[in-house]
Amino acid sequence: MMSMKERIGQLLLKLRSNTTLSLIIIAAGLVELVSIVHYNYIRNLLQDELEKRAELELMTKADIIINTLADAESTMEEHYWDLQNNLAHPDSMFAATHRLIMANPHVEGGCIAFVPNYYPEKGRLFEPYAYKQDGKIKVEQLASEKHDYTQHPAFQEIIQGVKELWSDPYEYGKDQYLTTYTCPLYDKKNRMAAACGLDVNLSWLSDTLNTNPYYPSSFGLLLTQKGTLIAGPKAKHIKKNDVEAVVKLINDSTVERMLTENGKSWVKDFEDTEDHEKASVYFTTISDRPNWQIAIVNYDDEVYAPLYKVRTRNMLMILTGLLVLFFIIHRFAKNEKRLKEAEVEQARIGSELLIARNIQMEMLPTEFSGYSHYVQVAASLEPAKEVGGDLYDYFVRDDKLFFCIGDVSGKGVPAAMLMAVIHSLYRMASSHENNLAHIMQTINEAMCQNNNTDMFVTLFLGMIDLPTGRLRYCNAGHDKPILLRGQSAESLPVKPNLPIGAFSDYTYVMQEGQLMTGDKLFLYTDGITEAKSNYAAEKWFGLEQLKDVLSSQLVISADTPSAVLKQVTEAVRTFVGDTEQNDDRTMLCIHYTFKEEQALLSDSITLRNDIAEVPNLNTFVKSVLAKMPLDVTMARHLRLAVEEAVVNVISYAYPDEVQGTIVVEATANKHRIKFVITDTGIPFDPTEVQEADTSLSAEDRPIGGLGLLLVRELMDTMNYERIDGKNVLTLSKRLNHHEKDSQKSVE
């Protein structure tokens, strides 16, 4: 019997006798060994890449779900003030509920379940409910003795102090699921008023989870925290048994997952019970509300199909093919990673720019109401990029319309940031100052500090005294506004001055003009006149063409500033055609519409600058007020305010030993009563006097200021003008309380 050593020796002899066969066997063994190594390597690489890809997809789908649910919460938060402000009127809650669900396309219905007997006139239960049906929104009172919402667990939890909660999805029609977001509603005294609910439609979940799968048979699932299936695949080739088996697999691993950190991704092997196809199940629990579970299933046959084909080829092709495949896969994974990172970064930048655009636009006024008897205002801004460097603003203070328009040098984010700074500076400076040159100087000095980027701003400031139409303005290198009077459109005579940001010690000059009833003032930035129709030909819209549009019959007959802006916008867009917008386009139109209403009374008295004239003043004011339908409190306030204002003029308008006169005129119409106090004394603007700080003690508080503070508090407006060498102080009080409230909200 041969020993092992002898057998090895004989084998070596046979191998030496056939060198070619030996080489082939060795080569085949090496190739096979290399192919096995490469096969396992590539399979593991594909598996790791698949896990990363699945985890990224899980994160993406989870973010979509979270954001959609967050939108519902934001909808409730944004309308909270609306609901709270309407609590005093139970019937208005139906309209508030209507507005609530109209604001979000994913919301199917919404209710406000009030605590029992909150509105005694509505009975014990009151639940306004709005829902979408056939493309319309219907509203009804849902509560009844059969539908006692106070027994609902969600209502009870909210009443017990839970801040917010999401319900488990529930079936709503065939293959339709809803989930309800519930939060408390408190009145302005921080008392529990109701539980507010929003029904969010989840019909989009199946499409979201199964849109563009990586593999034909891959599918996604969404389960509740308790393991109930919410959404799954709709494709016919996905077997129902597989879906049920995957749900069971996820539920069986619940205990194991509870021992780990919430939000961890898991992968489990899965085998089809019918065809014995192997697959991998990737799933996780959404870390944010309401802790649902999301899963993705990929079948091995589809994932590793390219690898199976390579194994059937000859050894040389296997070696070459595996090397090429490895290279391709490596490059593909690397490029895909870069692409994903680029897409995420681009999406992040786009999202931030969108937020910046919304913030920028929200800084600008959009509505103007309460002063339509005097003036109408409209404005528009079309940024060339996501954010722009143009700005405009307007507001009313002391019966004066303050307005501005500006253009920051440059475009994009830097210009937008500077625009926000200039807008804030203008608001702060003009809140207490009437001299536009001083306001412009304040903005310029602040702009010149640390202006290392050498950016500048063209800015036009204006102010219209609404009762008189007197126009004051100050320009800093901006385009001249156009005055529309009758059928003419002429540029306003404007001193150019230097733009903001050039020199901190530059002195700006304020100019004056007069608006007539029916005049329109049109302000614009150079994005309008420099709009191009053809870059090669360098054709601009131009100032003359703008004036032609403004003097056209369509604009002349336009009864609102919005109509004027619309005509100019259409003309510019027609002119530029498909040419890309190269600059921000901003317009501001002011229509002066003041007409004196028929006076119910008009009377006056002339007084000497002597304190002994105060009784005569009081007698005059009482006789005027007696002719008006005023209550006792308002009449007393008016007498006190007029007396304080006149005494202030008697005391300070004329130097000692100088005799002067003070004329007090009283006029009234059905809307307001006005007292105009005129003197020829020293120029003095009481509206610019700093209000007394009543929080200080009498010893620490400077002398003066309390009388003017009292006048401001008692009257709606206190307007000062220096006209023809005279101080003209107008005190106004509205007689219609509703109108007063609405106008004060605008101011």
Side-chain angles (χ1 to χ4, degrees):
M1 188 173 182
M2 290 187 297
S3 63
M4 180 61 68
K5 184 178 181 179
E6 292 174 341
R7 291 181 178 178
I8 294 175
Q10 289 182 358
L11 180 59
L12 291 175
L13 289 174
K14 291 181 180 180
L15 292 175
R16 291 191 187 102
S17 63
N18 196 339
T19 306
T20 303
L21 180 60
S22 299
L23 292 175
I24 293 175
I25 294 174
I26 293 173
L30 291 174
V31 170
E32 182 65 20
L33 178 62
V34 171
S35 66
I36 293 174
V37 172
H38 278 77
Y39 173 81
N40 292 329
Y41 176 80
I42 295 175
R43 183 181 177 90
N44 292 334
L45 183 66
L46 286 172
Q47 186 174 358
D48 292 342
E49 186 63 22
L50 182 63
E51 291 181 9
K52 294 178 181 178
R53 183 184 297 169
E55 184 173 2
L56 177 61
E57 187 175 3
L58 288 173
M59 292 173 58
T60 302
K61 304 296 186 184
D63 285 344
I64 294 174
I65 296 172
I66 291 173
N67 290 337
T68 302
L69 299 181
D71 284 345
E73 297 179 7
S74 298
T75 299
M76 182 65 74
E77 182 179 355
E78 293 168 359
H79 286 75
Y80 190 90
W81 66 271
D82 186 21
L83 299 175
Q84 192 179 62
N85 287 341
N86 283 282
L87 281 175
H89 309 286
D91 290 333
S92 66
M93 301 308 295
F94 292 97
T97 310
H98 183 283
R99 292 190 293 272
L100 182 64
I101 72 167
M102 185 173 59
N104 193 318
H106 292 298
V107 174
E108 288 293 324
C111 68
I112 307 174
F114 287 89
V115 297
N117 296 315
Y118 186 82
Y119 297 116
E121 68 273 20
K122 296 295 183 179
R124 188 177 74 90
L125 303 178
F126 182 57
E127 184 182 15
Y129 176 70
Y131 59 97
K132 297 176 181 177
Q133 186 179 62
D134 299 328
K136 298 181 180 179
I137 299 178
K138 298 184 178 181
V139 181
E140 63 183 31
Q141 207 293 90
L142 191 61
S144 65
E145 293 303 320
K146 294 183 178 180
H147 175 67
D148 188 353
Y149 55 80
T150 61
Q151 304 303 314
H152 197 282
F155 181 86
Q156 295 176 357
E157 289 187 46
I158 292 297
I159 294 300
Q160 292 172 4
V162 176
K163 294 183 177 180
E164 59 181 9
L165 57 88
W166 282 94
S167 70
D168 283 340
Y170 51 94
E171 194 166 2
Y172 176 73
K174 185 179 181 181
D175 298 329
Q176 296 287 329
Y177 283 87
L178 296 179
T179 181
T180 300
Y181 170 71
T182 310
C183 67
L185 174 63
Y186 295 90
D187 60 21
K188 293 183 178 180
K189 295 183 179 180
N190 203 28
R191 297 177 303 184
M192 172 67 73
C196 300
L198 287 181
D199 299 330
V200 180
N201 193 334
L202 302 179
S203 59
W204 49 271
L205 284 176
S206 294
D207 294 334
T208 299
L209 294 172
N210 293 280
T211 299
N212 299 324
Y214 283 107
Y215 303 101
S217 299
S218 298
F219 61 92
L221 300 174
L222 187 69
L223 288 74
T224 66
Q225 187 177 10
K226 298 178 181 179
T228 303
L229 180 64
I230 305 174
K234 296 181 179 179
K236 295 181 179 179
H237 66 277
I238 304 299
K239 290 175 284 190
K240 183 178 180 181
N241 292 339
D242 287 4
V243 175
E244 295 174 351
V246 171
V247 172
K248 184 178 184 303
L249 176 67
I250 295 174
N251 290 333
D252 290 343
S253 62
T254 300
V255 176
E256 180 182 3
R257 287 184 291 116
M258 289 177 62
L259 301 177
T260 65
E261 182 181 0
N262 188 26
K264 174 181 175 61
S265 298
W266 286 79
V267 57
K268 291 288 185 179
D269 293 330
F270 166 73
E271 183 172 342
D272 181 8
T273 56
E274 294 182 5
D275 302 326
H276 301 288
E277 295 179 349
K278 294 183 178 181
S280 298
V281 181
Y282 304 87
F283 58 99
T284 186
T285 299
I286 298 177
S287 58
D288 205 348
R289 58 191 181 274
N291 298 123
W292 293 342
Q293 303 175 85
I294 187 171
I296 297 175
V297 180
N298 294 322
Y299 288 88
D300 290 358
D301 287 343
E302 294 179 346
V303 174
Y304 304 113
L307 189 59
Y308 295 153
K309 293 181 180 179
V310 173
R311 293 190 65 190
T312 62
R313 299 176 182 177
N314 57 61
M315 286 186 289
L316 181 60
M317 293 299 297
I318 289 176
L319 178 61
T320 305
L322 287 177
L323 291 174
V324 173
L325 182 62
F326 170 75
F327 176 78
I328 293 175
I329 292 176
H330 178 72
R331 296 293 297 179
F332 175 77
K334 193 172 183 180
N335 292 336
E336 185 181 39
K337 183 178 180 181
R338 291 176 180 174
L339 179 61
K340 291 293 185 183
E341 291 175 351
E343 290 177 349
V344 172
E345 181 67 13
Q346 185 177 8
R348 182 188 66 80
I349 295 175
S351 176
E352 292 180 354
L353 287 176
L354 180 60
I355 294 174
R357 179 189 179 98
N358 292 336
I359 293 175
Q360 183 184 34
M361 298 307 293
E362 288 174 359
M363 292 174 60
L364 305 176
T366 57
E367 294 183 359
F368 185 82
S369 59
Y371 287 87
S372 58
H373 178 65
Y374 288 109
V375 69
Q376 296 178 350
V377 184
S380 67
L381 191 157
E382 295 183 22
K385 297 182 179 295
E386 287 81 358
V387 290
D390 283 4
L391 73 145
Y392 67 83
D393 196 7
Y394 51 83
F395 65 94
V396 173
R397 175 172 64 82
D398 294 330
D399 274 351
K400 291 181 174 65
L401 173 67
F402 290 78
F403 60 93
C404 74
I405 189 170
D407 186 359
V408 180
S409 62
K411 301 177 182 66
V413 175
M417 295 177 64
L418 186 56
M419 169 268 193
V421 173
I422 297 298
H423 183 269
S424 299
L425 289 173
Y426 170 72
R427 274 287 176 152
M428 288 189 293
S430 59
S431 64
H432 56 81
E433 175 67 63
N434 290 337
N435 191 312
L436 299 181
H438 293 170
I439 296 175
M440 191 76 80
Q441 187 66 38
T442 300
I443 298 174
N444 182 55
E445 291 175 356
M447 173 68 180
C448 290
Q449 294 179 2
N450 301 321
N451 186 14
N452 299 324
T453 59
D454 294 327
M455 298 182 71
F456 63 89
V457 182
T458 65
L459 187 63
F460 184 92
L461 306 182
M463 179 180 68
I464 301 174
D465 183 64
L466 297 180
T468 64
R470 191 177 183 188
L471 171 66
R472 297 182 179 90
Y473 54 93
C474 183
N475 188 41
H478 198 77
D479 297 277
K480 298 179 181 179
I482 299 175
L483 178 62
L484 309 180
R485 177 172 290 170
Q487 297 182 353
S488 67
E490 299 297 334
S491 297
L492 204 65
V494 171
K495 296 180 180 179
N497 294 320
L498 288 180
I500 295 295
F503 300 102
S504 60
D505 57 350
Y506 185 81
T507 301
Y508 291 92
V509 178
M510 183 175 69
Q511 298 173 257
E512 295 188 6
Q514 181 66 42
L515 294 182
M516 310 299 292
T517 298
D519 285 353
K520 298 185 182 73
L521 194 62
F522 182 83
L523 300 91
Y524 60 95
T525 60
D526 57 9
I528 299 295
T529 54
E530 296 179 5
K532 297 179 181 180
S533 64
N534 188 309
Y535 283 106
E538 293 293 332
K539 294 181 179 179
W540 290 359
F541 189 72
L543 177 59
E544 293 305 319
Q545 187 168 347
L546 175 59
K547 289 184 178 180
D548 291 341
V549 173
L550 292 174
S551 59
S552 66
Q553 188 59 39
L554 288 175
V555 173
I556 293 174
S557 60
D559 56 352
T560 63
S562 299
V564 175
L565 300 186
K566 181 179 179 182
Q567 292 297 329
V568 176
T569 300
E570 291 179 355
V572 172
R573 289 178 179 174
T574 302
F575 176 80
V576 300
D578 296 333
T579 304
E580 181 181 0
Q581 183 178 342
N582 63 340
D583 198 0
D584 303 334
R585 299 172 186 164
T586 304
M587 297 179 289
L588 174 63
C589 185
I590 301 172
H591 186 192
Y592 186 63
T593 59
F594 177 66
K595 293 182 180 179
E596 283 286 354
E597 294 188 3
Q598 182 179 2
L600 299 179
L601 66 85
S602 178
D603 203 352
S604 65
I605 186 174
T606 301
L607 307 171
R608 291 176 291 106
N609 60 326
D610 188 341
I611 201 70
E613 292 277 51
V614 173
N616 296 331
L617 171 67
N618 288 334
T619 301
F620 167 74
V621 174
K622 287 181 180 179
S623 66
V624 169
L625 299 180
K627 301 175 184 178
M628 300 297 297
L630 304 175
D631 58 61
V632 176
T633 301
M634 179 177 286
R636 183 172 63 252
H637 288 172
L638 290 172
R639 290 197 304 271
L640 182 58
V642 174
E643 179 180 331
E644 286 290 341
V646 173
V647 169
N648 187 72
V649 175
I650 292 174
S651 302
Y652 303 110
Y654 296 95
D656 294 341
E657 306 303 328
V658 175
Q659 296 294 325
T661 59
I662 303 165
V663 178
V664 181
E665 297 177 275
T667 59
N669 54 38
K670 63 180 181 180
H671 295 293
R672 68 176 65 197
I673 183 170
K674 293 195 299 185
F675 290 89
V676 181
I677 305 169
T678 305
D679 67 84
T680 58
I682 302 170
F684 174 68
D685 185 356
T687 64
E688 293 185 352
V689 175
Q690 186 175 4
E691 296 183 4
D693 188 354
T694 56
S695 63
L696 299 176
S697 64
E699 294 79 7
D700 297 332
R701 186 168 60 242
I703 297 175
L706 286 176
L708 294 178
L709 174 61
L710 180 63
V711 175
R712 285 182 179 273
E713 290 296 323
L714 296 179
M715 304 302 289
D716 290 330
T717 62
M718 182 170 68
N719 183 25
Y720 170 81
E721 289 287 315
R722 180 75 178 178
I723 302 176
D724 298 331
K726 298 179 181 179
N727 296 311
V728 181
L729 180 65
T730 303
L731 307 180
S732 174
K733 187 72 173 181
R734 296 178 185 88
L735 304 178
N736 187 313
H737 295 282
H738 177 72
E739 179 185 354
K740 167 187 171 182
D741 295 339
S742 65
Q743 293 193 17
K744 279 198 171 183
S745 67
V746 174
E747 297 174 29

